[in-house]
Amino acid sequence: MADSVTIVEVGPRDGLQNEKAEIATVDKLALIGMLADAGLSRIEATAFVSPRWVPQMADHGAVMRGVDRRRGVIYSALVPNEKGAEAALAAGAQALAVFTAASESFCRKNTNCSIAESIARFRPVMALAERASVPVRGYLSCALDCPYEGAIAPEAVAAVTAELLALGCNEIALSDTLGRGTPERTAAMVEAALQRVPATMLAGHFHDTSGQAIANVETAWQLGLRVFDGSVGGLGGCPYALGAAGNLATERLVVHFAAKGVETGVDLARLNGIAERVAERFRPAGAASR
Ligand code: HMG
Ligand code: MG
């Protein structure tokens, strides 16, 4: 049987969260629909975060409720706390994603709390998710670099990865928030995480500021990871990580794995069509640097 990889499409959340101009809910829903039609089986549809912190995600309830659900597609929501989890589940989220960081400074800027406090906030999220039989991914931001603290030690990543595992996350997304990682540093970081968590529970979430994201994906693939995040058209960044350019474009992930003979289940022609429409509508944040 051919090797396969799962691509998690985070464009509707990580991509759009950074857009300054208001995007109509109906346009977000159209994007999510097109992505599902292109064969993406996991789509992070929105974030149930504070609308004061991230205004672009303020229509989270309408997005999650309005999704025209395709069979076999899992629509997930990013949540920072119990309030977000309750609202996401009530709106029909089929998976949740919590998020913390390997860097104290970034965690505070992004969620106004320490790493330990963020983990404590996730406990009631896990309880709600368990009751609803919904899986929870844990994002670990700044797995390579922090905009405030610089390079992050692989051991720090491994320690928080282990905490997210102990919390009950079914998958931990090692995230290069700034997108400046190199394959060598990616290897050291992933190898440290693998000391604590099996490869089957790890995912790679790479931003592409330095144009190294595909090389980093390949490094993580060689180390056994089989789940990678992409954002159609390379949309995105993080509002609390200045300098972080776009996410790795989903279409580049698909091309990379197709060249290796690895199955993604994604229709590249359809995906390229969506990327073109996205490029017309939004200027990818990383376009200038690539
Ligand atoms: P806070 O101000 O410390 O929280 O924010 P609070 O508990 O004091 O609440 C303040 C207000 O927010 C209250 O409203 C709450 O009800 C409300 P008020 O009474 O003042 O009107 N509130 C909420 N509203 C909606 N949904 C919620 C929610 N929780 C509280 N869930 C908080 C703490 C975590 C809420 C805030 O810091 C926040 O929302 N942060 C989100 C930041 C964010 O979304 N960042 C981008 C996503 S992470 C990312 O992009 C990285 C990732 O892609 C991986 C990578 O690349 O590294 C995942
Ligand atoms: Mg991100």
Side-chain angles (χ1 to χ4, degrees):
M1 209 175 81
D3 233 339
S4 67
V5 69
T6 300
I7 296 181
V8 180
E9 172 59 50
V10 297
R13 193 280 303 169
D14 206 356
L16 297 187
Q17 73 184 7
N18 236 22
E19 292 297 319
K20 295 287 171 281
E22 193 181 328
I23 302 163
T25 305
V26 67
D27 291 342
K28 295 178 183 176
L29 291 172
L31 175 63
I32 293 167
M34 286 188 289
L35 290 164
D37 288 342
L40 273 316
S41 59
R42 290 176 60 182
I43 301 177
E44 197 165 88
T46 187
F48 286 76
V49 296
S50 163
R52 270 205 263 152
W53 283 63
V54 186
Q56 190 59 260
M57 296 286 113
D59 62 350
H60 38 231
V63 169
M64 192 50 88
R65 282 196 174 80
V67 164
D68 183 7
R69 287 163 200 254
R70 310 289 203 269
R71 193 194 298 269
V73 179
I74 294 167
Y75 299 93
S76 64
L78 190 75
V79 302
N81 54 19
E82 184 175 20
K83 183 182 170 102
E86 258 172 10
L89 291 171
Q94 292 155 287
L96 300 179
V98 293
F99 54 109
T100 186
S103 138
E104 286 291 353
S105 310
F106 182 81
C107 192
R108 191 158 290 285
K109 290 272 188 210
N110 199 31
T111 52
N112 202 24
C113 66
S114 67
I115 297 169
E117 284 163 345
S118 74
I119 301 280
R121 284 178 183 176
F122 300 156
R123 293 195 194 286
V125 172
M126 303 308 296
L128 285 172
E130 196 180 349
R131 224 174 301 148
S133 300
V134 154
V136 183
R137 157 186 264 214
Y139 279 102
L140 184 52
S141 289
C142 301
L144 291 169
D145 297 289
C146 166
Y148 313 102
E149 295 181 15
I152 298 296
E155 295 67 37
V157 175
V160 187
T161 299
E163 284 195 65
L164 288 169
L165 179 74
L167 190 71
C169 289
N170 75 314
E171 179 175 280
I172 293 137
L174 301 171
S175 305
D176 181 13
T177 315
L178 286 196
R180 301 203 187 120
T182 59
E184 293 71 26
R185 295 182 58 228
T186 298
M189 179 272 287
V190 172
E191 277 163 1
L194 284 170
Q195 300 295 314
R196 310 284 194 97
V197 183
T200 49
M201 297 183 77
L202 293 175
H205 175 104
F206 293 97
H207 288 244
D208 202 17
T209 315
S210 306
Q212 295 262 53
I214 283 289
N216 295 338
V217 164
E218 179 57 24
T219 299
W221 164 272
Q222 294 296 340
L223 289 168
L225 272 62
R226 293 294 179 267
V227 180
F228 294 98
D229 295 1
S231 173
V232 67
L235 274 173
C238 174
Y240 297 97
L242 289 181
N247 288 69
L248 173 55
T250 313
E251 56 276 16
R252 292 188 60 215
L253 264 179
V254 173
V255 167
H256 176 75
F257 283 111
K260 285 165 65 74
V262 173
E263 189 56 54
T264 60
V266 179
D267 179 331
L268 182 60
R270 283 183 104 141
L271 188 65
N272 279 334
I274 306 169
E276 275 169 32
R277 289 175 71 161
V278 158
E280 283 163 20
R281 173 89 162 71
F282 318 105
R283 182 190 60 83
S289 64
R290 285 201 295 273

